[in-house]
Amino acid sequence: MYASWSPVSEWKENGYPTEVWRTDTYSYHQIGFINDPKNNQLLIYVNMCPDPKPNKNSRPYNDPYRDWLTDPYKYYQSRYHTLQPYGYNINIGNATYRVDLDVNPWNIQNGKSGYAGIKVWDPQTNQYKVIKDNLCHYYANSYSSQSAIIKIPYNVFNRDDLNGSTKMTMQNPNLGGNTKITISGASTGPYIPAIIAFVLASIAAISYSHKRKLVRHEHQ
């Protein structure tokens, strides 16, 4: 089960990547989709109404960051902030599986975190597979802006070709129209900082070794 903090905090804590999807010209969402072969699962992240960043190119009256600073409640309420429980389509090979969340967003209380199951439509059997485990971690902040992390185990897809190198695409027409996230191979987002740290450490070690050789050479 996930930790007690919000999905937004958890996703950021792990350094997972996100994309911006738009419902319209006014509302936008942060969406993430990664392959987690270590735990034999896929992860979907949804932040329905993320905090805006300063937009220096916007005129003052059309800058969402200004609106958010002036009246956060009005900012959130004027945008699409309610969790979308339906229509997360995952394409694997020639099959598209639909993932729905077994949660009513209107029952999510502000400032509260909860857990729910998921339903996966299998196009090969034309049936829903209902999983009642706590695979969906949802949350609403104090302004009713809702977010979620959804875990989808490999075994719900009933196929033997899922691993760290499988190409998959995720789409939800209710959130981003034709926008898609395609992953091919294990997601690298969480591991990039570690790789960078390793490279920097290697460079530092090489530089230190080189300097020691120069010092020895000068003394000789």
Side-chain angles (χ1 to χ4, degrees):
M1 184 176 291
Y2 288 113
S4 59
W5 58 68
S6 72
V8 175
S9 299
E10 184 176 346
W11 199 264
K12 289 180 180 179
E13 181 75 14
N14 283 285
Y16 294 151
T18 61
E19 292 185 6
V20 173
W21 286 10
R22 292 192 176 276
T23 302
D24 50 41
T25 57
Y26 196 58
S27 295
Y28 69 98
H29 324 287
Q30 284 182 344
I31 308 295
F33 180 49
I34 68 171
N35 186 2
D36 180 15
K38 180 179 179 180
N39 296 301
N40 295 316
Q41 65 183 2
L42 306 179
L43 297 177
I44 295 177
Y45 167 71
V46 185
N47 184 358
M48 293 301 297
C49 191
D51 294 345
K53 296 181 179 180
N55 185 353
K56 297 179 181 179
N57 297 322
S58 291
R59 290 173 290 184
Y61 65 84
N62 195 32
D63 189 343
Y65 183 69
R66 172 184 170 276
D67 296 340
W68 179 70
L69 290 175
T70 304
D71 190 345
Y73 181 81
K74 182 179 179 181
Y75 168 80
Y76 283 116
Q77 294 303 312
S78 63
R79 285 161 171 79
Y80 190 2
H81 59 273
T82 304
L83 186 64
Q84 174 55 251
Y86 308 117
Y88 297 91
N89 298 320
I90 298 176
N91 179 264
I92 307 172
N94 296 322
T96 299
Y97 303 83
R98 170 172 163 157
V99 178
D100 294 337
L101 314 181
D102 191 18
V103 58
N104 183 347
W106 305 109
N107 291 335
I108 301 176
Q109 299 180 29
N110 290 0
K112 299 295 184 179
S113 180
Y115 299 87
I118 63 174
K119 296 186 292 185
V120 180
W121 175 263
D122 188 338
Q124 301 176 30
T125 61
N126 290 324
Q127 291 182 337
Y128 266 114
K129 186 171 185 178
V130 179
I131 305 159
K132 295 184 179 180
D133 294 340
N134 293 324
L135 299 181
C136 172
H137 173 205
Y138 58 83
Y139 175 78
N141 68 15
S142 58
Y143 299 107
S144 301
S145 179
Q146 299 178 358
S147 58
I149 291 179
I150 305 127
K151 294 194 303 183
I152 310 169
Y154 283 174
N155 58 20
V156 306
F157 298 105
N158 295 320
R159 48 195 308 155
D160 57 8
D161 59 346
L162 289 180
N163 52 55
S165 60
T166 306
K167 181 178 179 180
M168 289 171 274
T169 299
M170 194 274 291
Q171 177 186 24
N172 189 327
N174 299 318
L175 294 179
N178 294 323
T179 308
K180 300 177 181 179
I181 296 179
T182 299
I183 52 178
S184 182
S187 301
T188 57
Y191 311 111
I192 288 176
I195 294 172
I196 292 174
F198 175 77
V199 171
L200 291 176
S202 300
I203 292 173
I206 293 172
S207 176
Y208 177 72
S209 176
H210 181 65
K211 287 180 180 178
R212 289 195 63 182
K213 289 181 180 178
L214 287 177
V215 170
R216 285 200 302 268
H217 180 71
E218 288 174 358
H219 284 305
Q220 292 173 356

